[in-house]
Amino acid sequence: ATYGPIAPVVDNTTGLELLALPAGFQYWSFGDVGSPMSDGLPTPAAHDGMAAFPWGRKIRLVRNHEVRGAGTAFGPADLAYDAGAGGGNTIVEFDPRNPGSPRSWGVLSGTSTNCAGGLTPWLSWLTCEETTETLGKPHGYVFEAPAWAHGFRPATPIPSMGRFAHEAPVVEPWTNIPYLTEDAGGTSGFYRHVPHSWLRPLAGGKLQMLKVVGQDTVNLGASFPVGTTFDVEWVDIAQPDPAPGGATPFQQGAALGGAAFRRLEGAWYSKVDQAIYFNSTDGGAASAGQVWAWRRERRREVLELVYESPSTDVLLKPDNITVSPSGGVLL
């Protein structure tokens, strides 16, 4: 089946031809940079990762703003994490029956380089700082931006999830364990945060890094035949939020035999096969990308190489990822 040829279509919001779509499709754009939000503030720059949540008969988008480097927090100073950082999150609420009248407001500010994140089963967005820079305060943490918030909330980091160049977390639904990717070049780990209480999964826990059973410091960014599987286990990270000059979470995990990847980015939980899929953007012989899947199999845990790009002409460095309700992996 096909929807037919595409052609430029006028945006119902701006009147500009911004997208090309098949016949019969229409669209509305939300939140141009600088446009006023419903709370009176201008829409921050650098839109990035986001998630959609049901909200009655409406939909709420919790949206990252990947503002880097020194700046000014766009929210109230007493609720911002760092008054000298311009990143954070906003919420857009719209009615799919009437998309032309959205509302929007700020929810979290004073963070830096909010690149990706992950949605939780309890209707919140875990926003990730893809940096370890120090501005007014140290950065490199995960923060929670609830979809139910109606205004700014205190921006509170979750230190037990580690301080490193975070990319994406994904929550295993029946354990409430977040699994976390790291986007730090050739020294990236795959982590999980085992909560002290599954009822309060963000109120402290043990950070762990993936390790191949029986093999120390395996380079999983190298090339392997598609379908290769590894039995995996986890090593504890003693200092997830190390003091200045201390060993990073990756260095601590590698010292215990943890495995290395090459730039881990998007991650998604698949309800079809109860697996967590994630991308290694620079992985493989061609440095063009790999797709991995972690899953539980009875009393063991397995990591499988689902796909490796043979060249940049076939697949060029996959970043974000999702899995459709029918099991299709979209990159």
Side-chain angles (χ1 to χ4, degrees):
T2 177
Y3 289 106
I6 62 174
V9 177
V10 169
D11 172 19
N12 285 322
T13 300
T14 65
L16 302 175
E17 292 182 342
L18 303 178
L19 297 179
L21 299 174
F25 284 82
Q26 57 181 325
Y27 65 100
W28 290 256
S29 62
F30 295 152
D32 283 357
V33 173
S35 63
M37 296 191 293
S38 303
D39 60 6
L41 295 174
T43 301
H47 301 34
D48 208 284
M50 67 186 77
F53 299 88
W55 196 255
R57 301 182 72 177
K58 297 182 180 180
I59 293 172
R60 285 190 174 182
L61 299 175
V62 185
R63 178 177 59 193
N64 277 358
H65 296 277
E66 193 183 2
V67 179
R68 299 170 177 265
T72 302
F74 62 85
D78 60 331
L79 298 178
Y81 169 65
D82 182 351
N89 292 90
T90 56
I91 291 178
V92 178
E93 180 186 276
F94 68 96
D95 186 335
R97 299 161 300 173
N98 181 26
S101 301
R103 298 175 60 246
S104 58
W105 58 90
V107 62
L108 183 142
S109 72
T111 53
S112 178
T113 320
N114 298 63
C115 184
L119 70 169
T120 73
W122 51 91
L123 298 182
S124 69
W125 171 251
L126 298 179
T127 182
C128 294
E129 294 187 309
E130 191 189 26
T131 181
T132 56
E133 66 185 348
T134 297
L135 300 171
K137 292 183 177 180
H139 292 267
Y141 298 110
V142 177
F143 296 76
E144 183 180 33
W148 61 85
H150 291 278
F152 284 98
R153 295 172 60 89
T156 305
I158 308 171
S160 59
M161 283 191 173
R163 183 187 178 207
F164 55 85
H166 284 278
E167 182 70 21
V170 56
V171 179
E172 187 179 29
W174 64 88
T175 64
N176 280 350
I177 296 176
Y179 290 74
L180 307 128
T181 60
E182 179 179 22
D183 186 4
T187 55
S188 295
F190 185 62
Y191 304 85
R192 71 179 183 183
H193 179 260
V194 182
H196 295 321
S197 168
W198 71 273
L199 291 173
R200 300 181 65 211
L202 305 183
K206 173 65 70 175
L207 185 68
Q208 299 178 322
M209 181 171 156
L210 181 139
K211 177 185 181 298
V212 175
V213 173
Q215 301 181 60
D216 288 348
T217 59
V218 175
N219 176 18
L220 294 176
S223 181
F224 302 94
V226 171
T228 297
T229 60
F230 300 91
D231 283 8
V232 297
E233 56 188 351
W234 302 88
V235 297
D236 292 343
I237 305 301
Q239 299 294 331
D241 186 14
T248 66
F250 179 86
Q251 290 169 337
Q252 295 176 56
L256 297 173
F261 296 84
R262 295 174 62 189
R263 287 191 63 198
L264 293 186
E265 301 219 24
W268 194 265
Y269 176 77
S270 168
K271 295 180 181 179
V272 175
D273 55 359
Q274 299 180 336
I276 292 175
Y277 287 80
F278 58 97
N279 286 328
S280 172
T281 296
D282 289 349
S287 300
Q290 297 167 316
V291 180
W292 294 91
W294 168 91
R295 62 174 59 88
R296 301 181 189 271
E297 292 187 358
R298 296 183 180 179
R299 297 187 178 182
R300 56 197 283 252
E301 297 180 32
V302 173
L303 183 70
E304 178 185 358
L305 180 63
V306 175
Y307 182 77
E308 180 173 307
S309 176
S311 76
T312 56
D313 292 331
V314 176
L315 175 66
L316 175 60
K317 299 183 183 295
D319 189 325
N320 216 336
I321 187 171
T322 189
V323 181
S324 76
S326 62
V329 179
L330 307 176
L331 308 174

